[in-house]
Amino acid sequence: MPFFPKRVQAPDFPVDGIWLNVNQPLDLATLRGQVVLLDFWTYCCINCLHVLPDLHALETQFQDQLVVIGVHSPKFEEEKNPERVALALKRYEIHHPVFHDPSMRLWQEYGIRAWPTLVLLDREGRVAFAVSGEGQKDLLARAIAQLLADGTNRTPAHTGLQKTWQQENRDLWFPTKMAWGGGQLFIADTGHHRIVAVDPDGRMTAHWGGTEAGFAEGDGTQARFREPRGLVWINDELWVADTANHAVRSIDPSRGIIRTVFGDGIQSHRLLLPGNPGSIRSPVRLNSPWDIARSGQKLYLAMAGCHQIWLADTAKREIRPYAGTGQEALTEGSLIEATFAQPSGLCIAPDGLIYVADSESSSIRCIDPEHGVVSTLIGRGLFDFGDRDGGIRFARLQHPLAVTWRDGRVWIADTYNSKIKVLDPQEGKITTVEIDAELNEPEGILDTPAGLFIADTNQHRILLVDPDKGSAQVFHG
């Protein structure tokens, strides 16, 4: 095991930081005698989210022997807000202690260079091992086992310091994406790991999946999802981007049956590139499909986990990478040259152009399928974000997660600015839509025959908005 040959004393937690999921602040003196795993993460980061199941598995494997502490090191301005971080812990069901470090002081003192980075401290509070990136569970398990076997200072891991939050009793829990079909609004009730159907009067008529995450087919009571998001209505069926199951599912509302179309519940760690002839028949593994959009019998998927757009044929049950090299960046060009950065929202205009909310670059991208070209309408790079209206060269967004097409314009859920904005591709400018409701990180927006719906995610509700009047009313939640 490649431990550091010379271990140095780990920097302690700054006293001005904010602790979450604990009853009292922790320090290295209190943790002496235990093996500690520090997870430097931020809640926008898809790779950080992929690490969470590994952390839970390690906590289970080394129960009462390992202390896991998240060090939240924010990238975006919005992520510096401790109230937003506390909501993220609920959304992603994180129960281990988290130290919120908005000044990035620990990040700098430990010499961290990337999200996520995982650092192991030995029983003496010294830095013993560090590794960056996801997919490191087995390597970490071997290192933890060796550190537990070394040394004589053996103190049982703290069990009384964690403060467990409870899920609130609500109709919706962190709702995200939506779809319209059969005269109903379908809602991805993401925090409840289920799909909800709501009639035009806002009454729930059906739901599929349960409040506990899982991966199972069957009827509405047997089937299980895990953080479902993107939804689309196709031929009297609802198709679901089952994000944390790395799968695409379908629901037949008339029979109440859920099937798996693509994916097997396991994340793919194999990067496939667009441009190869032919398609990949199911079964195939996916990587965090975040949204889904339809053009005839074609489905486009925002594959956030591998920074690509994928294309599926619903009739042939075939799927393949469509655009993006898999590098997390902001590059224009052909389908095989362009890059994306955690694409999270899709909509298709009547002329066939595909608009993408490319969240980590805070940008809106446009794919021209006819000419096979990807362009950038708003956005400059991974660390260039803000809250500015105006011409597209001047305008800035902050981690947008959803788009919809309405009246010849792209309507944007500018998630980390908690605003709705409108992009006019012809005029080349963006404006904020003023409504009489305060939003909190909206992750869904959808234009329908019944009106414009917004998923006000952190407030667990769906709003029906009249943009002309600037009015908003709670539709469900």
Side-chain angles (χ1 to χ4, degrees):
M1 182 59 58
F3 290 118
F4 295 135
K6 184 177 181 180
R7 301 181 189 178
V8 299
Q9 198 66 32
D12 212 340
F13 301 100
V15 295
D16 59 348
I18 300 169
W19 283 95
L20 301 167
N21 279 358
V22 294
N23 292 320
Q24 63 188 64
L26 303 178
D27 56 40
L28 293 185
T30 305
L31 298 168
R32 186 65 61 89
Q34 305 168 50
V35 173
V36 177
L37 175 57
L38 302 178
D39 172 31
F40 287 84
W41 72 297
T42 186
Y43 73 79
C44 71
C45 165
I46 188 67
N47 309 97
C48 300
L49 301 183
H50 288 163
V51 166
L52 295 177
D54 291 349
L55 297 180
H56 179 70
L58 291 170
E59 286 180 294
T60 301
Q61 180 179 350
F62 299 102
Q63 191 172 14
D64 297 330
Q65 302 179 79
L66 173 71
V67 177
V68 174
I69 299 175
V71 181
H72 188 260
S73 310
K75 169 184 173 180
F76 289 98
E77 193 67 27
E78 173 75 353
E79 295 175 303
K80 295 179 181 180
N81 185 335
E83 294 180 0
R84 300 294 196 261
V85 181
L87 286 168
L89 301 188
K90 293 182 179 182
R91 178 187 312 192
Y92 296 114
E93 302 178 6
I94 298 171
H95 293 277
H96 58 251
V98 171
F99 180 77
H100 178 47
D101 187 21
S103 65
M104 303 279 279
R105 180 174 165 184
L106 272 187
W107 174 283
Q108 296 165 7
E109 291 183 351
Y110 277 85
I112 307 300
R113 301 177 65 87
W115 295 279
T117 293
L118 299 118
V119 178
L120 279 172
L121 310 184
D122 65 17
R123 295 181 185 275
E124 303 300 325
R126 300 172 300 183
V127 179
F129 181 77
V131 64
S132 296
E134 58 180 271
Q136 309 288 354
K137 183 183 69 172
D138 293 341
L139 180 63
L140 286 166
R142 293 196 298 272
I144 293 166
Q146 187 169 334
L147 288 175
L148 289 170
D150 292 343
T152 58
N153 187 0
R154 300 168 181 268
T155 305
H158 282 285
T159 58
L161 291 177
Q162 291 183 240
K163 182 172 62 177
T164 302
W165 49 263
Q166 299 294 325
Q167 189 177 91
E168 300 169 24
N169 185 19
R170 295 178 177 267
D171 289 342
L172 300 175
W173 189 243
F174 298 105
T176 56
K177 309 292 187 177
M178 298 163 288
W180 181 268
Q184 298 187 96
L185 182 71
F186 296 96
I187 304 167
D189 189 10
T190 305
H192 281 148
H193 309 288
R194 66 177 183 172
I195 308 299
V196 171
V198 179
D199 70 16
D201 294 321
R203 294 186 296 259
M204 184 189 302
T205 59
H207 65 84
W208 300 272
T211 55
E212 293 185 358
F215 184 66
E217 298 182 330
D219 62 26
T221 59
Q222 297 171 328
R224 291 292 180 268
F225 298 92
R226 191 181 303 275
E227 298 178 25
R229 285 184 174 83
L231 305 175
V232 68
W233 183 255
I234 305 175
N235 300 331
D236 297 325
E237 285 190 338
L238 184 70
W239 288 50
V240 182
D242 193 6
T243 304
N245 273 327
H246 312 286
V248 175
R249 322 285 292 280
S250 70
I251 301 173
D252 181 344
S254 63
R255 300 168 56 209
I257 300 299
I258 292 88
R259 298 179 298 113
T260 301
V261 185
F262 302 112
D264 61 0
I266 300 174
Q267 180 191 356
S268 171
H269 292 287
R270 177 189 176 197
L271 178 62
L272 302 175
L273 298 176
N276 294 327
S279 299
I280 307 165
R281 290 187 177 274
S282 190
V284 60
R285 287 183 174 168
L286 310 181
N287 195 339
S288 292
W290 209 272
D291 201 7
I292 188 169
R294 173 191 181 187
S295 177
Q297 294 300 310
K298 295 180 180 179
L299 282 184
Y300 293 91
L301 290 92
M303 204 72 72
C306 56
H307 313 293
Q308 292 177 313
I309 307 299
W310 281 42
L311 175 63
D313 186 314
T314 60
K316 296 180 180 179
R317 296 295 197 267
E318 293 180 347
I319 190 169
R320 63 181 174 87
Y322 176 69
T325 67
Q327 178 186 2
E328 185 178 9
L330 180 62
T331 307
E332 298 180 316
S334 70
L335 299 178
I336 62 174
E337 296 171 327
T339 60
F340 296 88
Q342 207 169 303
S344 303
L346 297 172
C347 71
I348 302 177
D351 60 5
L353 293 179
I354 305 165
Y355 293 92
V356 182
D358 205 21
S359 62
E360 279 296 282
S361 61
S362 298
S363 66
I364 302 298
R365 318 292 297 281
C366 180
I367 302 174
D368 182 343
E370 181 179 355
H371 298 97
V373 174
V374 179
S375 58
T376 302
L377 301 181
I378 295 175
R380 300 293 295 273
L382 293 176
F383 294 91
D384 195 354
F385 53 87
D387 183 9
R388 295 206 305 252
D389 291 355
I392 56 177
R393 292 182 179 274
F394 175 80
R396 294 291 181 270
L397 305 171
Q398 187 180 186
H399 200 75
L401 288 174
V403 286
T404 193
W405 182 263
R406 175 187 169 92
D407 297 335
R409 297 177 294 173
V410 182
W411 295 63
I412 305 164
D414 190 6
T415 306
Y416 282 8
N417 283 323
S418 293
K419 294 181 178 181
I420 302 302
K421 299 190 177 183
V422 178
L423 167 63
D424 189 323
Q426 298 301 318
E427 293 188 10
K429 69 177 184 179
I430 190 169
T431 56
T432 297
V433 179
E434 300 294 340
I435 60 174
D436 58 1
E438 185 175 343
L439 304 177
N440 192 330
E441 292 191 4
E443 291 193 23
I445 186 168
L446 180 70
D447 185 44
T448 76
L452 182 69
F453 291 95
I454 297 172
D456 190 12
T457 302
N458 280 353
Q459 299 190 88
H460 316 291
R461 62 184 184 174
I462 304 298
L463 300 180
L464 177 58
V465 174
D466 184 335
D468 296 328
K469 298 180 180 178
S471 63
Q473 64 184 55
V474 177
F475 179 74
H476 188 74

